[in-house]
Amino acid sequence: MKNNPVGFLAIVFFSALLLLSHSVTFALQQSSATKQEVKKKAAAKQQVAKKKPIAKRAIAQKNARAKVAFVPLKPSFGQLAGLHNAPDPLDLKSSVAFVVDQDTKEVLFKKNESAVLPIASITKLMTGVVVSEAKLAMDESITITQADVDTEKGSTSRLSVGSELSRGELLHLALMASENRAAHALGRTFPGGLPVFVSLMNEKARALGMTSTRYVEPTGLSSSNQSSARDLATLVGYAHGDSTLRELSTSTGYEVAVGRRTLQYNNTNRLVKNPAWDIGLQKTGYISEAGQCLVMQASVAGRKLIMVFLDSAGKLSRVADAERVRRWVESIPAQHGKAVPLASYSSSQATAIQ
């Protein structure tokens, strides 16, 4: 090699070139690994970034639910007046109750029966009386308008603006399913308009001797619609004499065609489907100011009874109160064909609560 300097230089050159090639390959491999690592880290950061908003939303929703769960319900007028403190032997959850024999007028049970409270959709029973007695064409088409949309409580309805139904269909939905837009449309389209309709509601109440009753609109959404259990018992007894009101209020379900849709409605009172009950007329009601309400005419133990339950504490408790009264009437002995009145409790709160 020493005698051949060209060959020696060639070997050195190729060795250096080989070493450079290995270095470049190694560097490229390292660079590729670094890029892959960077990509992995970037992808991981993106996943974390995506999860954070979801986690934050989940936490926010959980906190929102927790807040809703602890928001106290708006007290009813009866609660504000302390009517729920009234004791009774049946331990009813309604602060106001009144049970009377429809034929003999014998009062079997009374509790704060003269207290004047908001009556919610029990109002629709008088709406039905006025519409039925006006003898208007039940097949006349009525269109739901923006005026029928609830601005009092913001309640929803499946009867959208523009829906067309007959007066008879609207009356059916108002009494059976407590449809607010249906009831309002009945009053709005009455000859003379809503003011005349409401005036007739109050006029009928006075004619029936319902001295503690006042109506301001036909749905019951306003807490200014007020009455007493005694007055409502009178109304139930009177309305029971109308075969149309009996049939529509106790219907278990009803379908109406609205445009291309068919809407199925069910009765708001589950007792109409209960074979243990023989109900001739009924109406339910609820707004926060009134609590859960229920009025009925029903045959129990061979007697025609009128039952009124106002300001009940829960959605199911008004039905449970009716069951308690029915079981009691069925269990008590009869004296000369009459039941022995169980209890009487009257609060000093016997005037309207403003």
Side-chain angles (χ1 to χ4, degrees), residues 29-346:
Q29 289 176 344
Q30 289 296 321
S31 176
S32 177
T34 302
K35 287 181 179 180
Q36 290 179 355
E37 186 67 25
V38 169
K39 286 183 179 179
K40 287 182 180 180
K41 289 182 178 180
K45 287 182 179 180
Q46 287 180 352
Q47 290 293 334
V48 172
K50 287 180 180 179
K51 290 180 179 179
K52 280 185 177 180
I54 295 174
K56 287 181 179 178
R57 284 197 298 270
I59 293 171
Q61 290 172 354
K62 183 178 180 180
N63 291 338
R65 287 194 296 269
K67 288 180 180 178
V68 170
F70 290 100
V71 172
L73 296 175
K74 183 178 180 180
S76 68
F77 281 27
Q79 289 172 324
L80 292 174
L83 298 184
H84 280 270
N85 296 327
D88 69 75
L90 292 182
D91 192 27
L92 300 185
K93 304 308 177 185
S94 303
S95 73
V96 172
F98 192 61
V99 181
V100 60
D101 187 301
Q102 187 178 12
D103 294 327
T104 67
K105 311 305 179 188
E106 177 190 9
V107 176
L108 303 183
F109 189 94
K110 57 183 180 179
K111 175 183 177 182
N112 296 322
E113 75 283 359
S114 297
V116 180
L117 299 172
I119 57 174
S121 285
I122 306 300
T123 296
K124 294 183 178 74
L125 197 53
M126 181 61 86
T127 297
V129 168
V130 174
V131 171
S132 180
E133 294 189 346
K135 304 300 181 184
L136 302 173
M138 287 296 169
D139 59 354
E140 180 182 345
S141 180
I142 294 176
T143 301
I144 300 296
T145 71
Q146 188 63 36
D148 301 317
V149 176
D150 171 26
T151 57
E152 181 82 26
K153 295 289 189 294
S155 62
T156 59
S157 170
R158 288 192 288 165
L159 297 182
S160 58
V161 173
S163 298
E164 293 185 19
L165 296 90
S166 69
R167 178 175 282 109
E169 288 174 325
L170 292 176
L171 183 59
H172 199 152
L173 294 182
L175 292 173
M176 183 200 77
S178 210
E179 230 300 336
N180 291 314
R181 291 184 186 177
H184 192 275
L186 289 170
R188 175 179 56 80
T189 59
F190 194 84
L194 199 58
V196 170
F197 188 82
V198 174
S199 177
L200 289 174
M201 293 174 72
N202 286 300
E203 183 179 311
K204 191 65 180 181
R206 289 192 296 271
L208 293 175
M210 299 168 63
T211 57
S212 299
T213 301
R214 177 191 177 220
Y215 299 104
V216 299
E217 50 84 30
T219 69
L221 289 168
S222 172
S223 60
S224 294
N225 286 355
Q226 299 186 356
S227 187
S228 68
R230 279 189 176 274
D231 277 9
L232 292 178
T234 298
L235 176 61
V236 171
Y238 180 81
H240 182 260
D242 188 315
S243 61
T244 297
L245 302 184
R246 291 199 306 270
E247 178 184 353
L248 299 186
S249 72
T250 58
S251 171
T252 57
Y254 187 55
E255 286 186 352
V256 292
V258 180
R260 297 181 179 180
R261 298 180 301 158
T262 298
L263 303 179
Q264 172 66 47
Y265 286 85
N266 296 308
N267 202 304
T268 54
N269 183 357
R270 62 171 57 192
L271 294 180
V272 298
K273 294 183 179 180
N274 190 329
W277 283 89
D278 180 10
I279 300 173
L281 182 94
Q282 70 79 38
K283 188 69 196 76
T284 62
Y286 172 77
I287 56 173
S288 58
E289 297 93 331
Q292 301 285 345
C293 305
L294 171 64
V295 299
M296 292 193 302
Q297 187 279 351
S299 294
V300 178
R303 306 184 71 174
K304 294 179 181 178
L305 302 182
I306 293 174
M307 303 181 182
V308 178
F309 304 98
L310 303 180
D311 188 34
S312 190
K315 186 174 183 179
L316 300 180
S317 58
R318 61 188 178 188
V319 171
D321 283 353
E323 293 281 10
R324 290 185 184 95
V325 169
R326 181 180 64 83
R327 288 194 297 268
W328 166 68
V329 172
E330 290 174 339
S331 68
I332 59 177
Q335 292 185 350
H336 305 295
K338 296 181 180 181
V340 179
L342 173 67
S344 171
Y345 184 92
S346 296

